[in-house]
Amino acid sequence: MCVSGLSGSTETAQDQVSVGIGLLAGSTVMLLTVVWGSCIILGKCDLQNSIAVDNQDTKGFSLVGSGVSTDIWTSYSAMIMAVSVLPFLVVQFPQVTHSASGGHLAVLIGLIMSIFLLIAYCIYQVYQPSIQKRRIAFAKCKHIRSGLLKYFTNENGGLVDNRGQLNREVLYKLFKSVDVNGDGHLSQSELRALVVGMQLTDIKVDEEDAVSKLMKEFDTSGDDEVDFEEFITGVSNWLEEARRAKIDSPIAGNSNNYIHDYHEETKREHYLLGDEGGEDDDGNGVDHDVRGTTIKAVLLLLLGTLVAAVFADPLVDAVDGFSTATSIPSFFISFIVLPLVTNSSESVSAIIFASRKKKRSTSLTFSELYGAATMNNLLCLSVFLALVYVRGLTWDFTSEVLVIVIVCIVMGVFGSLRTTFPLWTSFIAFVLYPLSLVLVYVLDYRFGWS
């Protein structure tokens, strides 16, 4: 579209942008409504304590008893998608204010903003895995601390007395039980035995890393051993952290035991970060042939670019020809028909992942949908804005922009505020699609917002 728009006449360029905006709007709306809702239905599992249980689907089509769960990173992707509509709002501002002179400047500002956000989004995607790794490590360490507190309490009774003070007698007995050789200090081997004896089975624990972190937290003197006073100080800090934690989790229940609640909350935090032991869904190892994978990726990108270069222009011509022959506006063809083709790869991929009925695959599914919509809002919009600015075209797509903004903000905010989606949420997405079509039709052909 960009090449055809730059080389052809002004009328051709304007027509290219019109078809492109229709395709952009239709693609984004379809991904976030029809495909999004379908993935909820296909990926649904039984909900227990507001969490979907992997590979367990016994409640049928229960609107509140079945659904899907995603990790917290998927919520961040939804939030980013909602933010990515900002360039649309900037470009549309002169039409909202009925300013005839600011349109060209608004297009330039929107172009710069969309390119800047695109670069920022790419940088985030590059560094996000390392950020995720650090946050998972922190959450795992926090969960181990809470697990130790719960273990200490179960094995030795209350760690605090009736006045809320540390029970030194109980802690001393606990210290002596861990101090196997009785030298008055806890060594790394004794801490390792403590971690193993805790039997923390709900997460995958690297024992050496856990022992190293425990030693670092307890050993304030730096002698690579933990005496009783250091042990008291460390446990006291953990208890204070547990008291300060504000528990607001359906997993924690109504228990008045703040140590139990703290442990359940740290387990939930770790779960939401999506760490599942690093195993692939199919049980296969990860291909570490970086060079081969890179070469394959580059070749596939070049092949895709070649296919687009060969078929993009005839595709737009076919849309124009079909529109002329049927007297159907080209916008509606690009808005309804073309997305069925252009979204096929994302749709098939999303449906395959969702049907595996696992939180990890579901997270990948919705992250892909949010990511595709984000790239539509940034990369595709950048191309169209560049074409409009260079050729001096007219930006008059109020209804299309309104539909994109409404759907992206509604689904983006909805997806960023929760990580569990019961089956009833799919109907919200399904309803948005016909409402979008009706809205565009009414605004374009009843109110003349074209």
Side-chain angles (χ1 to χ4, degrees):
M1 291 181 180
C2 185
V3 172
S4 299
L6 291 175
S7 60
S9 63
T10 303
E11 292 76 11
T12 300
Q14 188 70 52
D15 188 60
Q16 299 280 5
V17 173
S18 178
V19 173
I21 292 296
L23 177 57
L24 172 61
S27 173
T28 300
V29 170
M30 180 171 289
L31 285 175
L32 298 179
T33 56
V34 177
V35 179
W36 193 96
S38 300
C39 290
I40 295 285
I41 295 177
L42 293 172
K44 66 181 179 64
C45 296
D46 294 346
L47 296 182
Q48 294 182 6
N49 297 319
S50 299
I51 295 294
V53 181
D54 286 354
N55 293 321
Q56 181 176 315
D57 185 14
T58 62
K59 297 182 180 180
F61 289 90
S62 172
L63 295 181
V64 295
S66 62
V68 301
S69 291
T70 63
D71 56 34
I72 196 66
W73 304 101
T74 307
S75 298
Y76 295 159
S77 297
M79 190 183 306
I80 291 172
M81 180 191 69
V83 173
S84 69
V85 302
L86 286 176
F88 284 105
L89 300 179
V90 171
V91 176
Q92 206 61 34
F93 185 75
Q95 291 191 343
V96 174
T97 58
H98 303 287
S99 174
S101 59
H104 203 57
L105 178 61
V107 169
L108 177 59
I109 296 175
L111 174 60
I112 295 174
M113 180 180 291
S114 61
I115 293 176
F116 173 79
L117 290 176
L118 176 62
I119 294 173
Y121 179 65
C122 292
I123 293 175
Y124 168 77
Q125 292 292 347
V126 170
Y127 288 100
Q128 188 268 346
S130 61
I131 297 173
Q132 180 179 11
K133 185 177 180 180
R134 288 196 296 269
R135 287 197 58 181
I136 289 176
F138 177 78
K140 186 174 292 187
C141 180
K142 189 176 178 181
H143 185 55
I144 291 174
R145 291 201 299 265
S146 69
L148 283 171
L149 285 178
K150 185 178 179 181
Y151 175 75
F152 292 161
T153 302
N154 293 339
E155 293 293 319
N156 299 274
L159 298 179
V160 295
D161 55 28
N162 295 331
R163 296 173 298 174
Q165 302 296 320
L166 280 176
N167 194 328
R168 293 180 67 92
E169 182 180 351
V170 170
L171 286 173
Y172 184 73
K173 292 180 180 179
L174 176 62
F175 181 85
K176 295 298 291 183
S177 67
V178 180
D179 183 19
V180 179
N181 59 13
D183 64 352
H185 295 83
L186 302 183
S187 63
Q188 288 206 16
S189 60
E190 290 168 332
L191 288 178
R192 184 179 297 105
L194 174 63
V195 172
V196 173
M198 184 176 59
Q199 296 181 345
L200 194 63
T201 58
D202 46 8
I203 66 172
K204 186 177 181 180
V205 177
D206 184 337
E207 294 174 5
E208 294 299 326
D209 183 62
V211 170
S212 176
K213 285 183 169 60
L214 287 177
M215 182 63 72
K216 186 176 181 180
E217 291 192 31
F218 280 125
D219 182 24
T220 56
S221 62
D223 60 357
D224 208 28
E225 289 183 328
V226 180
D227 59 30
F228 179 62
E229 291 302 322
E230 289 175 328
F231 183 74
I232 286 284
T233 302
V235 174
S236 176
N237 292 336
W238 290 358
L239 286 172
E240 184 62 28
E241 181 180 328
R243 289 192 187 100
R244 290 198 307 264
K246 296 180 179 180
I247 306 302
D248 184 21
S249 168
I251 293 181
N254 297 318
S255 172
N256 292 321
N257 185 344
Y258 67 91
I259 292 178
H260 171 270
D261 288 347
Y262 178 59
H263 177 68
E264 293 300 318
E265 177 65 13
T266 57
K267 182 168 68 174
R268 178 176 175 82
E269 288 179 5
H270 182 267
Y271 173 84
L272 290 177
L273 288 174
D275 179 36
E276 301 182 14
E279 295 181 359
D280 186 77
D281 285 335
D282 295 324
N284 300 320
V286 177
D287 184 6
H288 294 289
D289 183 9
V290 178
R291 179 182 176 84
T293 303
T294 302
I295 294 175
K296 179 181 178 181
V298 171
L299 291 176
L300 287 174
L301 287 171
L302 292 176
L303 177 61
T305 304
L306 178 62
V307 171
V310 172
F311 293 104
D313 200 40
L315 176 63
V316 177
D317 291 339
V319 172
D320 291 337
F322 184 77
S323 173
T324 303
T326 59
S327 299
I328 300 176
S330 59
F331 169 79
F332 282 100
I333 297 175
S334 58
F335 188 90
I336 300 175
V337 179
L338 286 185
L340 295 174
V341 179
T342 59
N343 287 339
S344 59
S345 61
E346 288 90 350
S347 301
V348 172
S349 176
I351 289 172
I352 290 175
F353 273 113
S355 61
R356 294 181 181 179
K357 296 183 180 295
K358 291 186 177 181
K359 188 197 73 170
R360 184 181 179 188
S361 58
T362 302
S363 299
L364 290 172
T365 296
F366 287 95
S367 293
E368 181 177 2
L369 296 180
Y370 296 142
T374 301
M375 293 300 288
N376 280 349
N377 295 342
L378 298 178
L379 179 60
C380 296
L381 180 63
S382 299
V383 173
F384 299 141
L385 290 180
L387 191 56
V388 170
Y389 182 78
V390 172
R391 296 301 303 270
L393 306 179
T394 301
W395 180 269
D396 192 11
F397 305 102
T398 303
S399 58
E400 296 87 336
V401 170
L402 184 60
V403 167
I404 293 174
V405 169
I406 290 176
V407 172
C408 285
I409 290 181
V410 169
M411 299 305 295
V413 173
F414 190 54
S416 64
L417 293 180
R418 60 191 306 153
T419 55
T420 297
F421 301 90
L423 187 60
W424 63 264
T425 59
S426 63
F427 294 103
I428 296 178
F430 286 136
V431 168
L432 277 176
Y433 186 71
L435 287 180
S436 299
L437 298 180
V438 172
L439 180 61
V440 172
Y441 176 78
V442 170
L443 293 180
D444 277 353
Y445 295 94
R446 298 299 179 183
F447 293 96
W449 289 19
S450 57

